[in-house]
Amino acid sequence: MHTVKEAALMTGLTEHAVRFYTDKGLVPSIQRNSNNIRMFDEESINWLHGVKCLKQSGMPIEVIKMYVDLCLEGDSTIPQRSALMMEHKEAALAKLEEAKRHIDHLEQKTALYQAILEQRTPDTTNPGNWDKIQHMHADVFYSPPMRKA
Amino acid sequence: MHTVKEAALMTGLTEHAVRFYTDKGLVPSIQRNSNNIRMFDEESINWLHGVKCLKQSGMPIEVIKMYVDLCLEGDSTIPQRSALMMEHKEAALAKLEEAKRHIDHLEQKTALYQAILEQRTPDTTNPGNWDKIQHMHADVFYSPPMRKA
DNA sequence: CTATAGCCTTCGTGTTACACGAAGTCAAGC
DNA sequence: GCTTGACTTCGTGTAACACGAAGGCTATAG
């Protein structure tokens, strides 16, 4: 049996978030002891993990709540739950793909910066270098610094 | 040259967001025509893409603004920009890893649901199935629906 | 010439998922 | 008996827009 503080540590959530989730009914297995203190058993910790997973993968609290409520209604809601999860998984996968593209983008930027820095500030005054330099800077971010303004 | 609407379409942002970003100074290359209308050239579209990338990978607008301002200061800020990007890339990578774990989690859930559904509602009334059923439901999400309450 | 459409502005409110602090209340342990 | 740690409610703040309203400009089409 764990307290809020422990549950927070175990899940990587803040105490605020843990209380918030329990108060919203996202941790149905939770119990209070005689002193009204939230007691988390392993199952409750699992729910917290699950809620964290769903939330961090983009599901709004409201929808998580719906899902939890469906769980509480018993086996008859399994088809709906399944559909919900499938949909959400697809959405999360799409986001993951986009995140990968963003990472690629960032990789390119950092690689460019590294290339520039490893050249130890190429001699900008030597016209012979200009092509190279222009080209190098050309995409960091996303053009040579504008001096238009 | 593109209008706000076009820029929104091209980048996948909303018009609101595009105006928001330009007003915050995140698109330094943007110009207004004689009728005070925002005109996006290719460079501005690129900035929008870049801002979108940074934001969606978790960078707060405020920090993006700092980065853009550094860009405008010229080559002398390249080391800072590089460091900023490296840090952000690392953070984004960490998030990506976590996202992957979440996806794994979701895969398991959906697989479990599929398994249950493909068995076409196993006969819950037959005690011979109970072990199987209990076990199957045991992790969907994250225990058999509580009937404690 | 006027009507419509598209762009602009500012204003104001709503949203999500908390973060944070304050104030006050318990119960347990030293 | 005092500190500690848990609890409560209250209230405010935040980010990054979303959305609508009101009002104004300009270009174009009929």
Side-chain angles (χ1 to χ4, degrees):
Chain A
M1 289 298 194
H2 312 280
T3 165
V4 166
K5 189 170 229 166
E6 289 164 1
L9 275 174
M10 294 168 75
T11 54
L13 298 164
T14 66
E15 297 182 38
H16 271 290
V18 172
R19 290 212 184 83
F20 185 76
Y21 291 161
T22 59
D23 291 356
K24 291 266 168 180
L26 306 185
V27 187
S29 58
I30 201 174
Q31 305 283 343
R32 304 280 189 137
N33 71 8
S34 55
N35 293 327
N36 200 31
I37 291 185
R38 296 174 185 82
M39 301 299 295
F40 296 79
D41 54 10
E42 292 312 307
E43 191 172 314
S44 301
I45 300 292
N46 278 340
W47 277 99
L48 281 179
H49 277 299
V51 170
K52 187 189 179 191
C53 167
L54 292 176
K55 207 228 72 184
Q56 294 210 356
S57 51
M59 187 180 285
I61 297 287
E62 220 177 306
V63 180
I64 301 179
K65 171 66 173 162
M66 278 178 45
Y67 177 78
V68 173
D69 288 347
L70 284 177
C71 287
L72 296 182
E73 276 183 48
D75 291 0
S76 62
T77 64
I78 284 181
Q80 296 160 64
R81 285 188 259 158
S82 176
L84 191 58
M85 275 297 133
M86 292 289 281
E87 253 182 74
H88 177 63
K89 195 192 68 180
E90 294 308 320
L93 272 174
K95 274 198 186 176
L96 187 75
E97 289 311 312
E98 215 185 356
K100 279 184 190 166
R101 286 197 296 276
H102 290 328
I103 297 278
D104 281 351
H105 200 148
L106 295 175
E107 298 274 16
Q108 284 177 34
K109 298 297 158 198
T110 51
L112 258 169
Y113 275 125
Q114 283 313 103
I116 294 173
L117 288 175
E118 273 159 24
Q119 278 197 213
R120 302 249 288 269
T121 47
D123 187 4
T124 323
T125 59
N126 177 0
N129 285 333
W130 272 47
D131 285 21
K132 245 184 298 175
I133 295 163
Q134 279 300 93
H135 184 259
M136 276 171 40
H137 289 213
D139 205 47
V140 176
F141 238 60
Y142 281 79
S143 58
M146 2 256 102
R147 314 200 190 276
K148 293 169 189 171
Chain B
M1 288 299 195
H2 311 280
T3 164
V4 165
K5 190 168 228 166
E6 288 164 2
L9 274 175
M10 293 168 76
T11 54
L13 297 165
T14 66
E15 297 183 39
H16 270 290
V18 172
R19 289 212 186 84
F20 186 76
Y21 292 161
T22 60
D23 291 356
K24 291 266 168 180
L26 306 184
V27 187
S29 57
I30 200 174
Q31 305 281 344
R32 305 280 188 135
N33 70 8
S34 55
N35 293 327
N36 201 29
I37 292 187
R38 295 175 186 82
M39 301 300 294
F40 296 79
D41 54 11
E42 292 312 308
E43 191 173 313
S44 301
I45 301 291
N46 279 338
W47 277 99
L48 280 179
H49 277 299
V51 169
K52 187 188 179 192
C53 166
L54 292 176
K55 207 229 71 186
Q56 294 208 356
S57 51
M59 188 180 285
I61 297 286
E62 221 177 305
V63 181
I64 301 179
K65 171 66 173 159
M66 278 178 45
Y67 177 78
V68 173
D69 287 347
L70 284 177
C71 287
L72 295 183
E73 277 183 45
D75 290 1
S76 61
T77 65
I78 285 181
Q80 296 161 62
R81 285 187 260 158
S82 176
L84 191 59
M85 274 299 133
M86 291 290 281
E87 254 182 72
H88 177 63
K89 194 192 69 181
E90 293 309 319
L93 272 174
K95 273 199 188 175
L96 186 75
E97 289 311 311
E98 215 185 358
K100 280 185 191 166
R101 285 198 296 277
H102 291 328
I103 297 279
D104 281 352
H105 200 151
L106 295 175
E107 298 274 15
Q108 284 178 35
K109 297 299 157 197
T110 51
L112 258 168
Y113 275 126
Q114 283 312 103
I116 293 172
L117 288 176
E118 272 159 24
Q119 278 197 214
R120 304 250 287 267
T121 47
D123 186 4
T124 323
T125 58
N126 175 2
N129 285 334
W130 273 47
D131 286 21
K132 244 185 298 175
I133 296 163
Q134 280 298 94
H135 184 259
M136 275 173 37
H137 289 212
D139 204 48
V140 177
F141 243 52
Y142 280 82
S143 60
M146 358 262 99
R147 314 201 190 276
K148 292 168 188 171

